[in-house]
Amino acid sequence: MINPNLGDLSGKKFAIYLRRSEGEKGSTKRQLQRIEKEIDALERATGLKIDRRIVGKDINKKKRFNARTDLVREGDIFNEGEGASGFKIENRPVFKELVRRLAEGEFDGVAVESFDRISRDYGGLSHFGLPLWREDGKLFVGFDGKYLNDDLANEFLLGVTSSASSLTKAQEIEKSKQGRADALDIGFVKAGRPEFIGSGTKNAGLSYRDAYNAMLEAGENAKGGLMNPTMVGAQFGKDNKWASLWYLKLKEYARLGVLESWLASVEAFNQFIIDKGGYPSVKWKTDKEVANIKKYTAGYFAYPAGIKVEQTKEFVLFPSPIDFDFDILGELDDPRDYPQNLFRVRRTKTIPRNLSTVQIQGRSRATRKS
């Protein structure tokens, strides 16, 4: 809502600012949809149309952000996008562009869903927002009813609520970090896995050992890639891209000395699923023991030679599944309860040099979820 105490807004030109913090659910597109009625009300109050074209990041996330072209666009809606920190305003190019346009007189004010969209840190809001408000008369309006005005009590209240929001977000971040650490300690990291029997993929349960032998037989080209990947892929119901990527991955596993352990572990898990009886896909989806092992071994199967975890800035080595009795491991609610404390994930802040591509985490994140 627009606070009626703002007074007459006739002729005032507003920009709309959108941002979603890292770790928050939803999207800025959904954020914009939530405030559409408030934007309509703002247009009625000002008597001016708000140009719904987007400045900044593509709200549909179909195009990569290019500051040189995307910050000079025309429009009144400034989209910072997802994953933009509520604390680090200096790292928000779209907001900085909006501040520049405010200072140059293109807009009379900024409207946001709530003030924590501008900053969760009152110091950041003070640095960028208060000078424009105090010295240039710019309006900062939240559709949650808050706004900057000459009432010191209002400014103090805004500071208190911003600080509370900042504390809440900091607590969320710390909780998220602890969740990632807990997930790593039980062997889980969200990443790609082999196609196990019953996992539902087209060729679930394919033999990676046979595939690698076929790749070695096909040979290697001058650039170190797989010769005839289309032919090799076809043997296993796959395409040339799959064959090329898995050749490089398995070749690296071999170079790092973990290939045989990885292959044996894949085969052992497949055999465990078969031995459970029944149709494998049913066991994969509903059997507690299969689900547990799937979770506890996820990190190893994705990164058998260890992984540099970007979120925690550490190097992690997961235990090899073939070192455990799956019947025992699958019954445990926590793999760290395995007899004689044998299940231990090694985590260190010392990152080895010259890591292989199969030891570097992409965009995936460790999480508690299986």
Side-chain angles (χ1 to χ4, degrees), residues 29-186:
K29 183 176 183 177
R30 182 71 186 95
Q31 189 179 126
L32 178 60
Q33 292 170 344
R34 286 197 301 267
I35 61 175
E36 285 285 358
K37 291 183 179 179
E38 283 76 10
I39 295 175
D40 292 342
L42 186 60
E43 287 181 330
R44 292 193 293 270
T46 62
L48 299 176
K49 282 289 184 182
I50 291 175
D51 188 338
R52 305 300 173 101
R53 287 179 292 179
I54 304 293
V55 178
K57 298 181 180 179
D58 181 8
I59 203 162
N60 295 309
K61 296 183 282 190
K62 294 181 179 179
K63 186 168 68 84
R64 184 184 295 273
F65 175 65
N66 184 322
R68 184 177 60 83
T69 57
D70 295 336
L71 292 180
V72 298
R73 295 183 183 278
E74 294 183 359
D76 296 341
I77 298 180
F78 289 73
N79 180 37
E80 198 76 63
E82 281 75 51
S85 172
F87 295 95
K88 301 175 182 178
I89 288 182
E90 282 291 351
N91 294 335
R92 284 200 256 146
V94 180
F95 184 74
K96 291 169 72 175
E97 172 62 17
L98 174 55
V99 168
R100 185 190 70 78
R101 296 194 193 189
L102 275 167
E104 291 185 356
E106 186 173 336
F107 298 104
D108 300 303
V110 178
V112 288
E113 184 177 34
S114 59
F115 265 87
D116 60 5
R117 298 304 87 197
I118 296 176
S119 177
R120 289 186 180 274
D121 179 3
Y122 187 50
L125 177 60
S126 299
H127 179 71
F128 286 92
L130 296 186
L132 287 168
W133 165 62
R134 288 195 180 114
E135 298 169 19
D136 299 330
K138 303 299 180 181
L139 300 171
F140 286 80
V141 177
F143 289 131
D144 57 355
K146 296 186 177 69
Y147 66 101
L148 288 180
N149 64 19
D150 291 326
D151 183 353
L152 291 178
N154 174 276
E155 187 179 334
F156 173 74
L157 178 61
L158 181 61
V160 171
T161 55
S162 294
S163 296
S165 176
S166 174
L167 176 60
T168 299
K169 185 59 180 179
Q171 290 172 334
E172 290 174 359
I173 292 172
E174 185 59 34
K175 184 178 179 180
S176 177
K177 288 180 179 178
Q178 185 58 50
R180 284 193 290 265
D182 289 345
L184 291 170
D185 284 341
I186 65 167

Side-chain angles (χ1 to χ4, degrees), residues 119-280:
S119 177
R120 289 186 180 274
D121 179 3
Y122 187 50
L125 177 60
S126 299
H127 179 71
F128 286 92
L130 296 186
L132 287 168
W133 165 62
R134 288 195 180 114
E135 298 169 19
D136 299 330
K138 303 299 180 181
L139 300 171
F140 286 80
V141 177
F143 289 131
D144 57 355
K146 296 186 177 69
Y147 66 101
L148 288 180
N149 64 19
D150 291 326
D151 183 353
L152 291 178
N154 174 276
E155 187 179 334
F156 173 74
L157 178 61
L158 181 61
V160 171
T161 55
S162 294
S163 296
S165 176
S166 174
L167 176 60
T168 299
K169 185 59 180 179
Q171 290 172 334
E172 290 174 359
I173 292 172
E174 185 59 34
K175 184 178 179 180
S176 177
K177 288 180 179 178
Q178 185 58 50
R180 284 193 290 265
D182 289 345
L184 291 170
D185 284 341
I186 65 167
F188 186 78
V189 63
K190 190 174 182 181
R193 301 182 179 97
E195 298 179 61
F196 296 111
I197 285 178
S199 58
T201 58
K202 183 179 179 181
N203 282 344
L206 69 88
S207 172
Y208 287 86
R209 188 183 297 276
D210 290 346
Y212 188 53
N213 287 334
M215 292 169 184
L216 293 177
E217 186 175 340
E220 190 172 277
N221 60 34
K223 294 183 178 180
L226 177 65
M227 291 281 285
N228 299 316
T230 300
M231 179 191 70
V232 175
Q235 293 181 50
F236 299 90
K238 299 293 184 179
D239 59 15
N240 63 328
K241 184 178 179 181
W242 177 89
S244 295
L245 289 175
W246 272 99
Y247 173 66
L248 294 176
K249 185 179 290 190
L250 296 173
K251 183 174 75 167
E252 276 300 280
Y253 290 171
R255 186 182 71 83
L256 293 166
V258 297
L259 178 61
E260 180 54 38
S261 174
W262 187 86
L263 291 172
S265 294
V266 171
E267 292 160 354
F269 190 24
N270 278 331
Q271 189 60 51
F272 177 77
I273 296 170
I274 293 171
D275 291 344
K276 292 290 291 181
Y279 189 63

